[in-house]
Amino acid sequence: MHRRTLLGAALAGTALAVAGRVPAYAGTGLPPLNEAALAKALEPLDPAVSGALARVEGSAGRWRGRAGVGDVHRGSPVPWDARFRIGSMTKVFTATAVLQLVAAGLIELDGPVRRYLPDRLPEGYPGTVRQLLDHTSGLRGLELRHKEWDWFKDHRFDTFEPGSQVRWEEEPLFTPGTRQVYGNVGYIVAGLVIERVTGRPYADAIRRGILRPLGLRHTYLPGTHTAIPGPHAHGYELVDGEYVDVTRANPSLQWAAAEMISTTGDLDRFLTALLGGRLLPPRELQAMLTVPKDGTHGCGLSRLFIGGLEIWGKSGDRPGYNNGMGATLDLSRRLVYSVNTLKMGGDTPPIAERLMMAALT
């Protein structure tokens, strides 16, 4: 039987699973939790998706759901505790580590980046640490087609040295602080700043300041390791009708911007602690929630409005995985999801948009 037919049969035979539900009630400004809408958002799956996992938490109700398969050959369901590549959601962890060092007096948020990396940046570059975190630094990065299949299949196991992703000597794309252009380069440089001031790998700052205090036992900074440890849904790329497994990859190109692996439970705990003030003092948390004029992204978290609600969170994707987390500031409604897409580098899949609308409107 053709592999695509096998997947279709598996999906058809895998009913939507729901767990951990409790009675919902509406918080101030929040709609009641609509479990029927959430279930409908997951099934039927989009044709370009093999599996999905979602968690809604908060004082206004909780819900968990999954659909599709975690392995197209075995037809097994997506594990409830699945690990997945969180992509750019890594940026929130890196920003938190930087802001913890700001609170400790080791980094000046509005100080020049050249103070910490004088050997990397050309003399006269005026950008600040804050501008690294809110995507207004103007720094240029390598232009690689890393979310296109042809590039990925040839380079998925390559190792990139931290900093090799930055075009250090080139003129900034714009005067720092005048525009917001989202990308990875600012967070690569932020990781190097962490290492310069601590004398340790940037990953140590995240483990010491976030993962260990919160007990995030299923969240990893893989470095150059290519596997996802523990239970996980496989990621695939649909190539000429064949499902090519893209789960294994060397994430060193993304490094401090998008390398991490986590779970819906760990990400919910992290977001709850972050917005609840357990990881940052009030001034540094306010910096994370400060969005430049005409911008969308603060220092790590992004702001969006859905159905009249102000939501703070972050999305992220890597080949085979498209994910997001978001919450109201009072934490009464929180959503974390992971979707296994079959085409890398695309827009947010419709199933993710349906989940956001069902959870937050």
Side-chain angles (χ1 to χ4, degrees):
M1 185 182 292
H2 195 282
R3 289 185 182 178
R4 189 165 189 177
T5 306
L6 276 172
L7 176 62
L11 294 181
T14 305
L16 172 72
V18 196
R21 297 185 294 184
V22 299
Y25 63 94
T28 304
L30 264 179
L33 190 64
N34 190 333
E35 296 179 358
L38 285 163
K40 187 176 180 180
L42 281 182
E43 281 203 318
L45 281 178
D46 302 337
V49 168
S50 58
L53 181 65
R55 173 188 295 260
V56 179
E57 300 281 357
S59 59
R62 50 192 310 217
W63 178 91
R64 293 177 66 196
R66 64 181 179 180
V69 295
D71 186 313
V72 301
H73 305 295
R74 298 177 181 177
S76 53
V78 177
W80 285 114
D81 56 349
R83 284 77 162 152
F84 49 89
R85 298 192 185 279
I86 69 173
S88 285
M89 295 158 80
T90 302
K91 292 180 174 68
V92 190
F93 289 84
T94 300
T96 301
V98 170
L99 291 168
Q100 287 177 335
L101 293 170
V102 170
L106 296 178
I107 294 176
E108 183 183 350
L109 186 59
D110 291 309
V113 183
R114 280 202 83 249
R115 177 185 301 168
Y116 308 100
L117 301 172
D119 53 328
R120 295 271 195 168
L121 287 161
E123 187 174 351
Y125 174 72
T128 68
V129 174
R130 184 192 298 269
Q131 290 163 352
L132 296 177
L133 301 183
D134 68 10
H135 305 284
T136 63
S137 72
L139 290 173
R140 297 175 183 264
L142 293 182
E143 296 177 359
L144 301 176
R145 298 178 292 109
H146 60 97
K147 291 185 181 180
E148 295 182 16
W149 169 245
D150 288 341
W151 189 95
F152 178 84
K153 67 182 175 65
D154 293 333
H155 300 282
R156 62 189 292 185
F157 298 118
D158 292 357
T159 295
F160 291 80
E161 289 298 318
S164 65
Q165 307 91 332
V166 184
R167 292 150 65 183
W168 295 100
E169 297 300 325
E170 295 192 20
E171 286 292 317
L173 184 64
F174 51 83
T175 301
T178 62
R179 292 169 55 191
Q180 186 172 77
V181 176
Y182 182 84
N184 284 349
V185 64
Y187 279 78
I188 299 296
V189 179
L192 293 170
V193 170
I194 292 173
E195 296 195 338
R196 187 62 59 89
V197 302
T198 64
R200 300 285 300 168
Y202 98 97
D204 284 359
I206 290 177
R207 294 186 185 105
R208 183 176 60 250
I210 303 171
L211 305 191
R212 291 171 189 157
L214 297 182
L216 304 185
R217 297 184 296 109
H218 309 304
T219 300
Y220 309 93
L221 294 105
T224 59
H225 295 287
T226 63
I228 297 179
H232 58 274
H234 288 251
Y236 299 94
E237 179 79 359
L238 188 60
V239 182
D240 298 328
E242 297 290 317
Y243 289 88
V244 181
D245 196 316
V246 296
T247 307
R248 295 179 68 100
N250 184 331
S252 60
L253 172 62
Q254 290 74 38
W255 198 53
E259 75 159 303
M260 291 178 67
I261 293 166
S262 192
T263 65
T264 60
D266 273 11
L267 289 170
D268 179 71
R269 183 180 298 182
F270 168 57
L271 190 59
T272 300
L274 181 60
L275 292 178
R278 291 176 55 196
L279 294 175
L280 295 172
R283 184 175 65 175
E284 283 68 37
L285 180 56
Q286 186 57 48
M288 178 169 277
L289 302 176
T290 298
V291 176
K293 183 180 179 181
D294 301 322
T296 303
H297 312 286
C299 290
L301 290 173
S302 303
R303 180 181 64 191
L304 67 156
F305 294 92
I306 300 178
L309 289 177
E310 181 182 14
I311 304 298
W312 288 88
K314 190 74 185 72
S315 61
D317 70 286
R318 294 304 306 141
Y321 302 88
N322 190 293
N323 327 287
M325 61 180 178
T328 56
L329 279 178
D330 65 2
L331 297 170
S332 57
R333 179 70 48 82
R334 309 185 303 274
L335 167 68
V336 184
Y337 67 84
S338 178
V339 173
N340 297 109
T341 56
L342 298 173
K343 179 67 174 176
M344 65 181 68
D347 296 330
T348 302
I351 187 173
E353 296 178 354
R354 294 197 303 269
L355 280 168
M356 287 186 280
M357 294 302 292
L360 300 167
T361 65

